[in-house]
């Protein structure tokens, strides 16, 4: 594989040191799962564990399908959505996703679901409906997500409500695609609560089809009610049919047991992880009479694979000397390389003096990215010194998406860390109101329900840092043994420093993001019922993406790495 590193989509990406990996267990049905990839198709150039690109992923799938044929076992490749926002490959093009959608389309997924990141912006939702979903035929599943077709004015499913299909070695699958109760979708789309969808005639009718298993592909956290509602509805009609949920959205590795014949898997984020699940016992002919198998255990295994070529080769090649790269895989890698050049993604903007982490250290720590954003980026790149009043800028911590590593900071990094294009909105208010806004926002109902309480981590100093996951099967799901990376929750909203020495009645510009203006307006009313404040755009020359670019140009561009 090293013989053509120069053709890598990101030349020089570090490779992990070889370790022993235990072989994957195969069953009657086997599933490879991606979710929350967010356009990370080039691989992680700064993290060896996740350095595979989508060309390598394509080659891996080719060899895994070869293995499935050889073993005469069924193999499913599934994606649970969130293809946009978080990487320059998809976000830096004139139309978001114009270069990544055709690359995703080159991966022969058997089932895909839509994510909330396909639904924030009307154009992205429209492109998904018109340009992306049709290319998948019946495999793009949107059981509870609809769009107002701008040509017919009819409200229709963005993809297919469901798909019944037969796998190569005979397994008959009924598949659905569900999204969690997402409230922030664009105004040309509708998200229907899943507990309502399962009561509808089409869903109930689909349960009458004779199948061997149910596949719920969902951009929905596997432990949330939106997932369990669908599992329960199927279980109510089928006391022992196998049910598999492939979830996402929380960006975590997780596995849950709903009952001894129903399981859920979630496979991380940003193409760091490939989820693997094997299910044995689906071909048990006695279970065609469902009452024979109520309570009968299925044999299920799960594994979280670090997405690097070493992992891919170890698990997919029949023997170590076998050639890994397929022609299609290399053409995808070359396509990514070309797109990166077209978009100038590797252009260095400046030199980051240290690592800044999103969630490894407390928000008050100098190694925290949120600390950098609150205390340096917002004051430098957003506060408008030409205004007659001091500015206090508040952003949601979820606007920052990834660690910022020491060394060359590239154009790609601006999208990796801060991809969104939200306007900064402001109102001029007395200091006594401005000084209470942050606490009020952090007490408000949150845009994204808090992540599941992350499990305690095992630690081991001799291993490279990475995921150490505890799920319903305990530890042991991670394919690579890693030392733990600490996770420290951060406040939902962060703010640039409040100005000092002001009287309660002195005026201040309070600045926030259009993304959560729906929360700010009622808080302003509550903090000062007697006054009606008018808000407007604070600056037309900066948004949440360009603020980071402008900061790096201003503060880190005169140092060489
Ligand atoms: N400031 C903004 N934050 C946003 C925007 N869109 C999403 N977000 C943040 O992302 C999470 C959801 O991300 P997911 O990958 O877990 O689905 C959301 O809760 C926000 O925190 C945006 O346009 N602006
Ligand atoms: Zn996501
Ligand atoms: Zn999501």
């Amino acid at each position: 594989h090293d013989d053509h590193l120069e053709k890598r989509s990101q030349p020089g990406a570090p490779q992990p040191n070889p370790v022993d990996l235990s072989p994957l267990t195969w069953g009657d049905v086997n599933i490879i799962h991606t979710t929350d990839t967010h356009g990370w198709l080039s691989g992680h150039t700064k993290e060896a564990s996740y350095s595979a690109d989508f060309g390598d992923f394509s080659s891996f799938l080719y060899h895994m399908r070869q293995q499935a044929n050889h073993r005469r076992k069924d193999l499913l490749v599934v994606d649970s959505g969130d293809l946009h926002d978080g990487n320059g490959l998809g976000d830096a093009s004139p139309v978001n996703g114009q270069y990544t959608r055709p690359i995703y389309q080159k991966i022969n997924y058997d089932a895909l679901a839509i994510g909330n990141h396909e639904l924030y912006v009307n154009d992205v939702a429209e492109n998904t409906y018109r340009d992306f979903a049709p290319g998948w035929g019946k495999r793009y599943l949107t059981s509870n997500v609809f769009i107002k077709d701008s040509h017919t004015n009819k409200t229709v499913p963005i993809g297919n409500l469901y798909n019944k299909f037969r796998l190569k070695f005979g397994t008959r699958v009924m598949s659905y695609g569900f999204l969690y109760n997402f409230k922030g979708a664009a105004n040309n789309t509708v998200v229907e609560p899943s507990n309502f969808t399962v009561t509808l005639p089409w869903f109930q009718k689909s349960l009458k089809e004779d199948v061997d298993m149910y596949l719920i592909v969902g951009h929905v956290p596997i432990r949330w009610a939106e997932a369990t509602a669908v599992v329960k509805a199927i279980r109510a009609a089928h006391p022992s049919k196998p049910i598999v949920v492939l979830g996402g959205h929380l960006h975590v590795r997780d596995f849950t047991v709903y009952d001894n014949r129903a399981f859920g898997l979630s496979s991380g984020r940003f193409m760091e992880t490939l989820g693997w699940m094997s299910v044995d016992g689906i071909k048990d002919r006695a279970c065609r009479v469902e009452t024979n198998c109520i309570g009968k255990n299925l044999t299920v295994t799960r594994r979280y694979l670090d997405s690097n070529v070493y992992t891919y080769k170890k698990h997919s090649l029949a023997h170590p000397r076998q050639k890994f790269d397929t022609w299609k895989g290399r053409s995808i890698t070359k396509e990514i390389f070309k797109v990166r050049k077209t978009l100038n993604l590797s252009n260095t903007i400046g030199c980051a003096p240290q690592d800044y982490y999103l969630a490894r250290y407390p928000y008050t720590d100098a190694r925290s990215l949120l600390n950098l954003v609150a205390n340096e980026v917002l004051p430098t790149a957003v506060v408008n010194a030409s205004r007659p009043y001091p500015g206090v800028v508040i952003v949601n911590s979820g606007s920052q998406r990834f660690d910022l590593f020491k060394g060359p900071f590239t154009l790609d990094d601006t999208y990796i860390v801060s991809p969104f294009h939200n306007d900064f909105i402001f109102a001029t208010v007395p200091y006594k109101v401005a000084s209470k806004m942050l606490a009020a926002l952090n007490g408000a109902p949150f845009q994204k329900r808090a992540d599941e309480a992350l499990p305690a981590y095992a630690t081991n100093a001799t291993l490279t840092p990475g995921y150490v996951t505890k799920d319903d099967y305990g530890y042991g799901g991670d394919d690579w043994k890693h030392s733990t990376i600490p996770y420290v929750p951060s406040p939902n909203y962060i703010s640039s420093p409040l100005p000092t020495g002001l009287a309660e009645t002195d005026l201040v510009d309070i600045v926030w993001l259009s993304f959560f203006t729906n929360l700010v307006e009622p808080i302003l009313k509550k903090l000062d019922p007697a006054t009606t404040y008018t808000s407007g755009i604070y600056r037309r020359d900066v948004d949440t993406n360009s603020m980071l670019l402008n900061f790096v140009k201003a503060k880190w561009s005169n140092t060489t790495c």
Side-chain angles (χ1 to χ4, degrees):
H1 181 71
D2 302 348
D3 64 1
H4 72 289
L5 272 181
E6 71 293 342
K7 291 191 187 59
R8 309 294 310 124
S9 51
Q10 296 198 63
Q15 301 302 315
N17 300 321
V19 291
D20 260 347
L21 299 174
S22 25
L24 298 173
T25 305
W26 288 69
D28 293 331
V29 174
N30 306 276
I31 301 167
I32 294 169
H33 181 224
T34 57
T35 188
D36 295 87
T37 54
H38 288 278
W40 278 83
L41 311 186
S42 312
H44 293 235
T45 180
K46 301 175 184 176
E47 298 160 282
S49 297
Y50 319 120
S51 49
D53 69 21
F54 243 45
D56 303 314
F57 180 44
S58 170
S59 299
F60 171 72
L61 292 179
Y62 167 80
H63 294 297
M64 290 303 274
R65 289 195 192 277
Q66 293 288 90
Q67 274 217 40
N69 293 341
H70 174 71
R71 296 165 183 263
R72 302 190 63 71
K73 298 289 184 187
D74 276 321
L75 177 65
L76 274 165
V77 183
V78 176
D79 181 82
S80 295
D82 267 12
L83 311 183
H84 297 81
D85 300 335
N87 194 279
L89 205 72
D91 301 346
S93 47
V95 176
N96 192 299
Q98 74 184 75
Y99 294 120
T100 44
R101 272 197 297 278
I103 296 171
Y104 279 111
Q105 211 92 45
K106 293 185 170 79
I107 299 293
N108 47 355
Y109 283 111
D110 299 292
L112 306 94
I114 198 166
N116 50 302
H117 282 264
E118 281 71 76
L119 296 167
Y120 280 111
V121 176
N122 289 50
D123 290 356
V124 174
E126 180 84 11
N127 287 336
T128 300
Y129 169 61
R130 266 191 215 297
D131 306 333
F132 189 66
W136 294 101
K138 298 198 72 175
R139 292 173 287 164
Y140 197 77
L141 300 162
T142 56
S143 303
N144 67 330
V145 185
F146 304 84
I147 191 165
K148 204 173 290 121
D149 185 316
S150 54
H151 299 173
T152 65
N153 241 354
K154 285 210 178 83
T155 299
V156 294
I158 289 189
N160 294 276
L161 292 173
Y162 67 95
N163 183 26
K164 177 188 170 189
F165 60 103
R166 177 190 287 271
L167 291 172
K168 185 166 187 173
F169 295 103
T171 309
R172 298 163 304 164
V173 181
M174 176 59 77
S175 59
Y176 306 100
F178 278 94
L179 176 66
Y180 70 95
N181 295 350
F182 176 43
K183 299 276 185 286
N187 58 18
N188 63 340
T189 63
V190 176
V191 179
E192 186 179 73
S194 64
N195 60 358
F196 172 72
T197 306
V198 297
T199 66
L200 296 177
W202 75 259
F203 185 85
Q204 289 302 319
K205 185 163 171 278
S206 75
L207 295 178
K208 296 191 178 359
E209 301 270 351
D210 185 14
V211 296
D212 303 309
M213 69 175 282
Y214 286 86
L215 181 74
I216 303 163
V217 187
H219 195 75
V220 50
I222 55 178
R223 297 173 190 271
W224 282 12
E226 293 96 317
T228 51
V230 185
V231 173
K232 282 185 186 135
I234 296 170
R235 186 56 79 230
H238 293 286
S240 69
K241 285 283 181 200
I243 303 170
V244 170
V245 178
L246 294 160
H249 184 58
L250 288 187
H251 294 192
V252 293
R253 294 179 172 186
D254 197 10
F255 174 80
T256 191
V257 179
Y258 301 108
D259 64 38
N260 57 3
R261 296 178 74 81
F263 306 87
L265 178 72
S266 185
S267 303
R269 61 170 197 177
F270 303 157
M271 271 310 277
E272 293 172 340
T273 301
L274 293 189
W276 170 264
M277 186 195 273
S278 69
V279 186
D280 211 37
I282 287 184
K283 299 268 179 162
D284 183 339
R285 299 188 67 80
C287 297
R288 296 230 164 166
V289 176
E290 288 206 51
T291 46
N292 291 344
C293 294
I294 294 175
K296 186 173 183 183
N297 285 344
L298 287 170
T299 308
V300 174
T301 72
R302 75 0 181 155
R303 188 79 66 84
Y304 309 106
L305 276 60
D306 283 3
S307 181
N308 60 65
V309 172
Y310 178 84
T311 300
Y312 288 1
K313 290 167 95 171
K314 283 295 271 189
H315 287 307
S316 72
L317 296 183
H319 53 82
R321 297 309 307 157
Q322 187 185 354
K323 185 170 168 28
F324 173 76
D325 293 314
T326 61
W327 179 88
K328 185 175 175 188
R330 288 180 75 158
S331 69
I332 291 172
T333 292
K334 285 178 201 154
E335 182 177 348
I336 294 169
F337 184 80
K338 263 197 299 228
V339 170
R340 292 185 57 79
K341 266 182 95 66
T342 307
L343 297 175
N344 300 314
L345 293 181
S346 301
N347 281 14
T348 297
I349 313 287
C351 186
Q354 65 170 78
D355 290 345
Y356 292 93
Y357 295 101
L358 187 56
R360 290 194 201 188
Y361 298 100
Y363 157 58
T364 49
D365 190 298
R367 293 162 294 184
S368 155
L369 172 68
L370 297 176
N371 186 303
L372 175 78
V373 169
N375 295 308
E376 296 195 44
V377 177
L378 296 179
T380 304
V382 182
V383 174
N384 184 346
S386 63
R387 284 280 304 158
Y389 310 111
V392 178
V393 187
I394 299 176
V395 299
N396 62 307
S397 45
S399 65
Q400 305 305 300
R401 303 286 288 177
F402 200 72
D403 298 336
L404 192 164
F405 295 117
K406 179 177 180 172
F409 184 92
T410 64
L411 180 64
D412 197 10
D413 289 322
T414 63
Y415 295 98
I416 284 170
V417 177
S418 191
F420 305 116
H421 295 282
N422 302 151
D423 285 331
F424 287 96
I425 313 292
F426 85 110
T428 304
V429 303
Y431 177 80
K432 67 175 188 303
V433 172
S435 57
K436 296 184 182 68
M437 178 57 74
L438 180 65
L441 274 169
N442 275 323
F446 189 46
Q447 300 280 5
K448 176 178 176 185
R449 276 175 271 171
D451 290 0
E452 302 294 326
L454 282 151
Y457 284 91
T459 58
N460 178 327
T462 59
L463 301 170
T464 56
Y467 288 99
V468 178
T469 310
K470 185 179 180 192
D471 56 32
D472 281 4
Y473 274 6
Y475 289 104
D478 303 297
D479 194 34
W480 283 64
K481 303 289 165 272
H482 287 295
S483 60
T484 188
I485 290 180
Y487 170 82
V488 180
S490 50
N492 298 331
Y493 297 88
I494 57 174
S495 167
S496 63
L498 276 170
T500 53
L502 293 186
E504 292 284 88
T505 52
D506 286 347
L507 294 179
V508 172
D509 286 338
I510 184 84
V511 187
W512 63 89
L513 293 182
S514 52
F515 178 68
F516 54 87
T517 204
N518 59 315
L519 294 177
V520 171
E521 313 267 345
I523 292 173
L524 276 177
K525 201 80 210 126
K526 203 158 158 233
L527 289 174
D528 190 354
T531 314
T532 304
Y533 293 106
T534 45
S535 58
I537 303 262
Y538 183 60
R539 289 182 64 161
R540 295 196 178 279
D541 61 338
V542 68
D543 67 18
T544 29
N545 175 251
S546 57
M547 75 176 184
L548 186 55
L549 180 67
N550 297 349
F551 170 77
V552 174
K553 279 180 181 167
K555 297 290 183 185
W556 293 347
S557 59
N558 49 7
T559 50
T560 42
C561 286

